[in-house]
Amino acid sequence: MFISKEEFKQAFIEKLQTLFGQSLDESSINDKYTALSTLLRETISKRWYETNRQYRVSKEKQVYYFSMEFLLGRLLGSNLFNLDLTKVCQQGLNELGIDLADMEAVEHDAGLGNGGLGRLAACFLDSMASLQLPGHGTGIRYRHGMFEQKIIDGYQIELPDNWLRDGYVWETRKADRAVTVKFGGSVRLEEQAGRLAAIHENYEPVLAVPYDVPIVGANCNSVNTLRLWSAENNYFDFSSFSKGDFLKAVEKKYSLEATSQILYPDDNYPEGRTLRLKQQYFFVSAGLQSIVRRYKRTHGSKPADLAKIHKKIAIHINDTHPALAVSELMRILMDEEGLGWDEAWTATWQTISYTNHTILPEALEKWPVELVETLLPRMYMIIREINERFCAALWEKYPGDWERIRDMAIISDGYVHMAHLAVVGSHSVNGVAEVHSNILKTEVLASFHQFYPHRFNNKTNGVTHRRWLAKANPELAALISESIGEGWLAHPGELSNLHRYAHDPAFQASIRAVKQANKERLARYIKDKMCLTVDINSIFDVQVKRIHAYKRQTLNALHILDLYNRIKENPGLDIEPRTFIFAGKAATGYYLAKRIIKFINTLAQVINNDPAIGGKIKVVFLENYSVSLAELIIPAADVSEQISTASREASGTGNMKFMMNGAVTVGTLDGANIEISQEVGGENIVIFGLTADEVLNYYKYGGYNVLDEYHGNSRIKTVVDQIVSGFLPASPDEFDSIHHSLLRTNDEYFVLKDFIPYAAAQEKINALYREQPRWQAMAVNNIAFSGRFASDRTVSEYAIGIWRVKPVVIREA
Ligand code: 26V
């Protein structure tokens, strides 16, 4: 590995020559990116090989994180960072007249996820590797990740993502490790040598080929593996071909390969589609087959060896999307390895653990029985048997309580309930923030909690501070290290030492200067992309996340409209200038969310072009929110908007990223906001609105009438009327759906109920910002107390409390 700048420069120039036969001057920025990444890969590959070898030799327990989504973003910068090579490369490249940032920008984001759930998986991979835990990812190599969002005339337009267009340097195709996944057909049970064998016939085989991506740990030699499965096929219909029907000759091949073609862009918004179930089984089956194969090589292949698989393997399922792992592991252990039901079942539930990420009733997965039965006949047989045995156990404990048994059954009302399968088939069930875990225990999965009290636990989410602080905000990171040393990089808890500097004028001036520079950087981006000038001395007030009714972008937007009305009425209104920044994607089929985007853009059009308000407020909707855009926006935020209806946001993780970058949260008592508030203290956060208990009580017992709010306050009535009155430059019925969601469905998310408290919270933000020493102290304290929300803390809790895996220190080769 190159350790000096000079060695690096030489290696880099050589790599350009050997890869492209080009000199530095002749090469494009893309070629330079490829040369640098390839160089890194060589260093990484050696460590990767050693890590795998030492894992094998040590025979230590391995954990596999199964997730439909891994929202990795770009890897060049984070790999450099974790290898501690950023400085050497940056300096070497500077001397060659190249800006490292330009090279990083060439990389396509790996957008293999929708939002929080997928990014959490990516943060966990980083933390597992950096904590030297033997932990790997299993997922799908979507040919097209999260769609690219364009805003045209205020509307969201979706374009296909083509992240593999220029190849992907970080992956390695492992054709020799391919496995077959079987769909459809029929299964019959036949007695063979005194046992029942399951014979699967007339199925459609799909070849699953793994592509491995190295996951580089920070400041250690560990390189773990993210294994992404791709559906490929050599199938070619020669008979159609020879008849001249060329389309038919390739049709089947492409239909088989369709399985891993696209990521479903729905987040918390269900549109059950057959292909999605196919994707789920595809990667679960491929992943488990490959894990069992490896297990047998290391720990023995007799049935007695496999019965102990839970001692050496932990499988974690990220939400219910991989819940078929329960029945698939049963199938492999019984049908392929010859274990009996009881042995297989004990091994299965002790291997698997499950995280729930949502309590939104509409997002709890269920699949129609006929679909499961037709597409996955063997899975269905096994799930039915699990269900029967589970219901029998319930009957034993609650004889005659039919209602309870029906509510808890895995199969009922013509559906397979995936959360029930996940709970029954695992030894641990966790939520992602205290309040969320409590709601699981007392509401959503209450009867399961009564039946399996010991399975339930909480693991509050976290984010990798390496990407979200050190890499995204290098100036802030340098300032922190100057003040409290570099220990926080390995031990984020040490950030608390910053607390001492909260009221230090010199430190305050420095962090203010860093924030200002980040705001200028974002302002330049906005200018470049949108030809819009924003006031860099205004408060940057940011809400970036998926667009969803429960996240209440509407509340933010209506408050902006109210503020605008007030400035129009009183042009002298004494407020700090503010720039309201939004970004986020709407699920393709989610009509209301799409109208909310249009609504925000229409407000922007009105407000940004009204000279009468003297530039006091501006509204910006940045298109195509992504991991790399988040890395640009979050360090520039003064205010972090975390305003979901209490009880609906399981945790949130954006809230943590903003906090780490010194933004002040205006938020509800929802998800991890509650723990953030406890950590920073009430004086460093602005909380408003209904509590989760209040919201749940309204849902259960009624008592909320939106018309009371609407008629009870003229400010509320005015903004609600303006949605449909023709006040906004849009067609008359453009925003009917928003109006309808407030007044016609009794404001399911309590937007109007929380409106006045929210406006008061915003006034408080205004007043606090004007007391700069006070504000800067809040900013410092937010950074100081963010250590608890580093994913290193979360992952070590999973390792100790759920997976029971220990670090394996990888020695240098
Ligand atoms: C659910 C569904 C259901 C229907 C079909 C498509 C689809 C796609 C994704 C999901 C997952 C929704 C769950 C989710 O993303 N939850 C988020 O998880 C974050 C990490 O724990 C957490 O911070 C957010 O609060 C939570 O909304």
Side-chain angles (χ1 to χ4, degrees), residues 735-749:
F735 303 121
D736 281 2
S737 54
I738 299 177
H739 192 254
H740 192 274
S741 75
L742 297 171
L743 295 191
R744 299 282 170 266
T745 53
N746 202 33
D747 187 14
E748 188 183 350
Y749 296 108

Side-chain angles (χ1 to χ4, degrees), residues 260-280:
S260 62
Q261 282 290 311
I262 54 162
L263 166 78
Y264 277 103
D266 313 327
D267 173 298
N268 272 315
Y269 187 81
E271 288 216 36
R273 300 215 186 116
T274 310
L275 185 60
R276 190 171 157 93
L277 182 62
K278 202 164 177 185
Q279 290 182 334
Q280 296 184 346

